[in-house]
Amino acid sequence: MYKTKAYAAASATAPLASTTIPRRDPTEHDVQIEILFCGICHSDLHAVRNEWSEFMATTYPIVPGHEILGRVTKAGVAVTKFTPGDLAAVGCLVDSDRTCPRCQAGQENFCPNLTLTFNSPDKHLGGITNGGYSESIVVDERFVLHVPPNLGLAGAAPLLCAGITTYSPMRHWGITTGKKVGVVGLGGLGHMAVKFAHALGAHVVVFTTSPSKKEGALRLGADEVVVSRNADEMKKHAGSFDFILDAVSAEHDINTYLNLLAIDGNLTLVGAPAKPLGVSAFALLMGRRSLSGSNIGGLPETQEMLDFCGAHNITADVEVIPIQKINEAYDRLLKSEVKYRFSIDMASL
Ligand code: NAP
Ligand code: ZN
């Protein structure tokens, strides 16, 4: 075991503050990674403030962070995929049971015994796992991804959650040229969704509550932008979408968006508001529409997504901050004021 610097929250109402945490010494299949950048996901904020207490209560102190990009500093004797000096990335998962049908299908994200990067029981050290707001991390190489060398590092970090969470449902629902795709909420996830849908050849319409994001959305690859509070603009799109990805972090009316789906259209929720959302039966049954959800992605698909980003030169648009600005960043995230992802420069730690 060794000690490493980190930022943690001591309670749901405490600000994040500097601390020291233990990490295991790398075992034979582990790599030790010096963290260079870590993205700030809204899930970090939900967890720190214990907003998902009914579903996934937070154990304190919590070190969040699951958009981890760094460099390998040590590799265990049985490690085959990495050598010291390699770029390496870790997302929301650091372990799973590896034997269930989901794991065998490469869908570790649906394993009933998965270990999340933070706030999951730590099989090695006891207590709970500590995430990426930290100087270093030790992870089994099976849960570590390769990063294409052409990608900027600060902007590549958010691919590990915002990237895979939006890429996976688009692949699942067959987004391709000729499809009309809506993206609701232009935050960290939403802006990645726009980039992927555009790269896959879809006609992309962004729905935002922030008029100030209109021009930015077009630059990201949107074909149209609708300010969702404008009922007339919304009406123009009624019954027309093949697929809508909803990446909103707070309670909102999803029926408005269900009504924009074409017959057999699908709305996939990736946003995870704490409270249940009301669904109108008629919004679904009038067009044989479907409502579904999606949760990050498995390891093979995460590597596929990173390679796709390498081939298409896709990274997140980030505002790089020092870790000391973390609490201010959380306040701005809550006000939808980031374009479009914070990435922490871990050298500041
Ligand atoms: P984010 O950067 O804060 O983006 C959320 C966006 O939602 C905001 O930028 C805003 O977009 C919109 N929004 C916020 N409050 C709203 C409100 N009251 N009404 C309508 N729209 C509102 O968050 P994120 O990191 O992208 O995460 C989004 C959600 O996905 C979070 O709940 C997060 O926990 C969840 N998540 C899920 C997964 C998964 O695997 N399913 C993975 C990661 C994150 P506009 O300004 O454009 O309106
Ligand atoms: Zn996340």
Side-chain angles (χ1 to χ4, degrees):
M1 197 175 85
Y2 70 99
K3 298 263 181 187
T4 192
K5 288 187 211 163
Y7 256 59
S11 77
T13 50
L16 288 135
S18 177
T19 188
T20 305
I21 54 164
R23 296 285 191 198
R24 66 178 183 267
D25 290 317
T27 63
E28 56 178 355
H29 292 287
D30 286 339
V31 292
Q32 183 175 324
I33 298 166
E34 176 200 6
I35 302 175
L36 301 173
F37 291 96
C38 184
I40 300 179
C41 179
H42 207 114
S43 303
D44 299 350
L45 192 156
H46 288 306
V48 161
R49 305 206 170 159
N50 204 11
E51 289 170 1
W52 292 335
S53 57
E54 278 173 45
F55 173 67
M56 208 192 265
T58 302
T59 304
Y60 295 94
I62 177 176
V63 177
H66 57 205
E67 295 184 335
I68 298 170
L69 196 136
R71 214 171 268 289
V72 175
T73 49
K74 280 188 194 167
V77 290
V79 168
T80 58
K81 279 168 37 186
F82 294 92
T83 51
D86 286 350
L87 285 176
V90 178
C92 303
L93 302 176
V94 289
D95 208 350
S96 65
D97 65 25
R98 306 169 190 210
T99 52
C100 75
R102 292 292 126 214
C103 285
Q104 282 174 9
Q107 294 173 344
E108 298 85 351
N109 51 318
F110 298 130
C111 171
N113 301 304
L114 53 79
T115 303
L116 295 169
T117 304
F118 61 83
N119 199 39
S120 265
D122 186 330
K123 290 181 200 163
H124 297 264
L125 296 180
I128 60 156
T129 50
N130 288 309
Y133 296 7
S134 156
E135 215 173 10
S136 74
I137 192 166
V138 177
V139 182
D140 187 307
E141 68 163 337
R142 182 176 165 144
F143 291 82
V144 183
L145 288 309
H146 287 286
V147 182
N150 57 313
L151 299 181
L153 301 184
L159 300 176
L160 277 298
C161 177
I164 184 59
T165 301
T166 51
Y167 179 85
S168 179
M170 288 204 206
R171 299 294 285 174
H172 179 78
W173 289 96
I175 302 314
T176 172
T177 310
K179 299 277 183 187
K180 186 173 175 186
V181 170
V183 174
V184 188
L186 198 62
L189 266 59
H191 96 290
M192 288 311 308
V194 172
K195 292 190 183 205
F196 286 133
H198 177 72
L200 292 166
H203 180 89
V204 188
V205 183
V206 165
F207 296 94
T208 180
T209 60
S210 308
S212 70
K213 292 181 182 170
K214 237 178 151 167
E215 271 175 36
L218 296 170
R219 265 201 310 276
L220 291 167
D223 298 285
E224 298 176 63
V225 187
V226 174
V227 176
S228 50
R229 293 189 172 126
N230 182 329
D232 288 338
E233 271 190 71
M234 293 289 282
K235 242 188 247 159
K236 281 189 213 152
H237 291 278
S240 68
F241 283 90
D242 298 294
F243 178 74
I244 297 178
L245 193 80
D246 184 327
V248 173
S249 52
E251 282 169 83
H252 60 293
D253 177 18
I254 61 167
N255 299 304
T256 315
Y257 297 101
L258 290 171
N259 283 320
L260 302 187
L261 291 172
I263 290 173
D264 289 327
N266 169 267
L267 184 148
T268 292
L269 281 176
V270 286
K275 298 223 176 95
L277 302 169
V279 179
S280 148
F282 285 90
L284 285 176
L285 57 86
M286 293 312 282
R288 200 165 52 196
R289 296 155 171 156
S290 66
L291 169 64
S292 59
S294 192
N295 184 37
I296 48 172
L299 291 162
E301 195 173 43
T302 305
Q303 190 61 61
E304 178 192 308
M305 177 276 308
L306 286 166
D307 296 342
F308 181 89
C309 288
H312 295 261
N313 243 309
I314 293 176
T315 51
D317 286 24
V318 290
E319 179 176 336
V320 176
I321 59 158
I323 188 81
Q324 292 77 10
K325 290 218 164 155
I326 187 74
N327 294 302
E328 194 184 305
Y330 274 30
D331 290 344
R332 284 181 50 202
L333 191 62
L334 267 182
K335 291 189 222 153
S336 307
E337 260 181 30
V338 50
K339 289 178 180 169
Y340 293 91
R341 197 61 144 184
F342 288 114
S343 186
I344 307 166
D345 180 354
M346 220 43 86
S348 61
L349 192 61

